[in-house]
């Protein structure tokens, strides 16, 4: 099932074994029981473990539990101002699009905001509730 909406994912789920390519486009594939869901639009949350500034972008490594993901913030996207005050151990929520360039998988950020520890717990609860809803929808199709 292909979804055209933001799907909550954990950083560890954005991994090479969960990425499928269709031509130049990369999708994240999630297995929900006997149903597979594909999406490019992702929402994730975690702690900043590193910040690396490039000439036209900034890469942020976001980690939660046993996984991590690279989030790329392009200077031209209008989200660069959101990087002010961002530092190691900041808690962040990210909305973005899955991208792959030269075999590097990352989320190209559309929205980035600071969150609290409580919001991280709420995110995880909602993630599991979302998965149950998606599974029920897929079964009805």
């Amino acid at each position: 099932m292909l979804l055209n909406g933001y799907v909550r994912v954990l950083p560890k789920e954005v991994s090479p074994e969960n990425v499928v390519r269709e031509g130049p486009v990369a999708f994240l594939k999630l297995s929900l029981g006997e149903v597979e869901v594909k999406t490019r639009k992702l929402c994730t949350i975690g702690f900043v473990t590193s910040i690396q500034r490039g000439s036209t972008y900034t890469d942020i490594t976001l980690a939660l539990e046993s996984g991590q993901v690279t989030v790329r913030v392009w200077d031209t996207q209008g989200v660069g101002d959101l990087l002010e005050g961002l530092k190691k151990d900041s808690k962040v929520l990210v909305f973005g699009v899955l991208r792959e360039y030269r075999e590097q998988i990352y989320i190209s950020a559309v929205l980035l905001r600071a969150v609290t520890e409580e919001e991280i717990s709420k995110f995880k609860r909602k993630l599991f509730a979302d998965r149950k809803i998606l599974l029920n929808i897929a079964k009805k199709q």
Side-chain angles (χ1 to χ4, degrees), residues 92-105:
V92 178
L93 173 75
V94 175
F95 284 82
V97 178
L98 183 69
R99 303 268 190 231
E100 183 180 30
Y101 181 69
R102 294 187 180 172
E103 298 183 19
Q104 181 189 12
I105 298 163

Side-chain angles (χ1 to χ4, degrees), residues 69-122:
V69 64
T70 299
V71 175
R72 184 162 288 173
V73 179
W74 294 94
D75 295 343
T76 58
Q77 283 183 297
V79 291
D81 294 343
L82 301 174
L83 294 174
E84 285 185 34
L86 190 68
K87 59 185 186 286
K88 190 173 181 196
D89 296 325
S90 293
K91 296 175 264 318
V92 178
L93 173 75
V94 175
F95 284 82
V97 178
L98 183 69
R99 303 268 190 231
E100 183 180 30
Y101 181 69
R102 294 187 180 172
E103 298 183 19
Q104 181 189 12
I105 298 163
Y106 63 92
I107 297 173
S108 181
V110 174
L111 178 100
L112 180 91
R113 75 170 178 86
V115 294
T116 64
E117 190 77 41
E118 185 177 318
E119 287 175 291
I120 292 175
S121 296
K122 185 187 279 188

